[in-house]
Amino acid sequence: MDRQKVHFLFELATSSNQGTEPTALRLQPIFPRKERLSTMSKERKLRPALSLILVPLATQLIATAPVLALERTEEAQLEPSTVIIKTDIQIDSTRRRPTIALALGGGGIRGSTHIGVLRVLERERIPIDYIVGTSMGSVVGSLYAAGVPLDDIEKMLMKKKLQKAYQPRPLAMQAICQPALMVKHAITGRPCAGLYNGRSLEKYIEKTLPPGKQNIENLNIKFAAVVTDFTSGKLTTFDKGPVAKAIRASTSIPLLMRPAEIDGHLYVDGSLRVSVPSAIAAETGADIVIGVQTDEPLHDKQTKSFKSYIPVFDQMINIVMTELGAKDKTSADMTIWPNLKGIKMYETSPKAVHKAIAAGELAANQALPNLRKILSSKIASRTITTVTQ
């Protein structure tokens, strides 16, 4: 090989940043220009020996240039799931980042707290891969999974649009109308018992969803609504089909709203069987499950506070859901429990909504250090493979 060919190999191994391959380093000519003219005759005699030395060296530089480039080039772009270590070991690049599933509990208006939790996760750019919601958690979760901005969901609650869709008429007025409805049902056929039929809520959800997001399988984030099969008492989920029907079923509190009839089955609120669906969220296969608890911790209350129906019903639900929630927490990697003390389940005021959202943001912010530790531990536990030399 003559000297021109050897010089070409050096240029190839040390090409500039104009090409697609990164630059490792640039070698200077072995022979300074001034010495070349005076050593031409000697150089001709040394060509065979130089070729034996320089050609293998140039070949080795070509082979090692990409590795050197990764060590020296700060602009090298890495895949999010790839970690480069300056040894003969690297993280298995076939694995993705840890996946995260959210399990959102119910709780009526207390479920507004999910907006605050999601807002913090969104601000911190913590991606959510799955959302599993029951009752109010299914409402907030499905709308968020469909791409409805959190500010818009908050406005729906602050302006009582969602509350009015759930209860088109005040509860007392609806109860007074029941005798007249009974006469109508005697003629047309009696439906399942319930003060509200749920059609208003279903239509409102349909209208609120963005175009092309009417079905669960088309949502931006994988979603499942937790419901209770009222005829068998079994817990089940809707992970496909119309979003609005699934939400209506997941929020149908017996006696208050008629059970949703879907494919010959009657479905009611999923909170009858589960407070926070962490176990169901774990079945998605997500690496990390985060539960959001909305129940108010049990504490002694004064006897005089139970002289009307709503506080009695609220306390009854709290007792049941606290027991269910204790079981659900074991399936989550972490549970966020906002302080919702004093917020009644069936309140509709903007003040209660604002307080619940603020409590969710506070609790999520406090949980961030622990969440980051869990994320780090999941990344560190990935399979490490030795690179074959």
Side-chain angles (χ1 to χ4, degrees), residues 30-41:
I30 291 179
F31 299 106
R33 182 176 181 83
K34 292 181 180 180
E35 295 180 11
R36 287 182 186 173
L37 297 175
S38 62
T39 60
M40 287 294 290
S41 60

Side-chain angles (χ1 to χ4, degrees), residues 66-68 70-71 82-92 384-389:
V67 176
L68 294 172
L70 286 174
E71 294 181 354
T82 304
V83 179
I84 300 298
I85 304 174
K86 290 187 178 181
T87 64
D88 61 342
I89 296 176
Q90 67 181 14
I91 298 297
D92 183 0
I384 297 181
T385 57
T386 303
V387 178
T388 303
Q389 298 295 328

Side-chain angles (χ1 to χ4, degrees), residues 147-166:
V148 179
L150 291 172
D151 289 347
D152 291 352
I153 301 175
E154 180 178 357
K155 289 176 184 178
M156 294 175 200
L157 290 162
M158 293 294 287
K159 295 181 179 181
K160 299 185 178 182
K161 292 181 178 180
L162 190 60
Q163 296 93 312
K164 289 177 181 178
Y166 191 89

Side-chain angles (χ1 to χ4, degrees), residues 160 163-178 181 195-196 200 256 310 346 348:
K160 299 185 178 182
Q163 296 93 312
K164 289 177 181 178
Y166 191 89
Q167 292 179 295
R169 287 182 292 274
L171 187 60
M173 181 182 297
Q174 190 70 9
I176 293 172
C177 294
Q178 286 305 299
L181 292 173
L195 294 177
Y196 301 97
S200 178
L256 185 62
I310 291 181
Y346 300 108
T348 60

Side-chain angles (χ1 to χ4, degrees), residues 249-268:
S250 186
T251 57
S252 294
I253 300 173
L255 297 181
L256 185 62
M257 184 179 287
R258 296 174 192 167
E261 187 171 353
I262 302 173
D263 297 332
H265 290 263
L266 298 177
Y267 296 101
V268 295

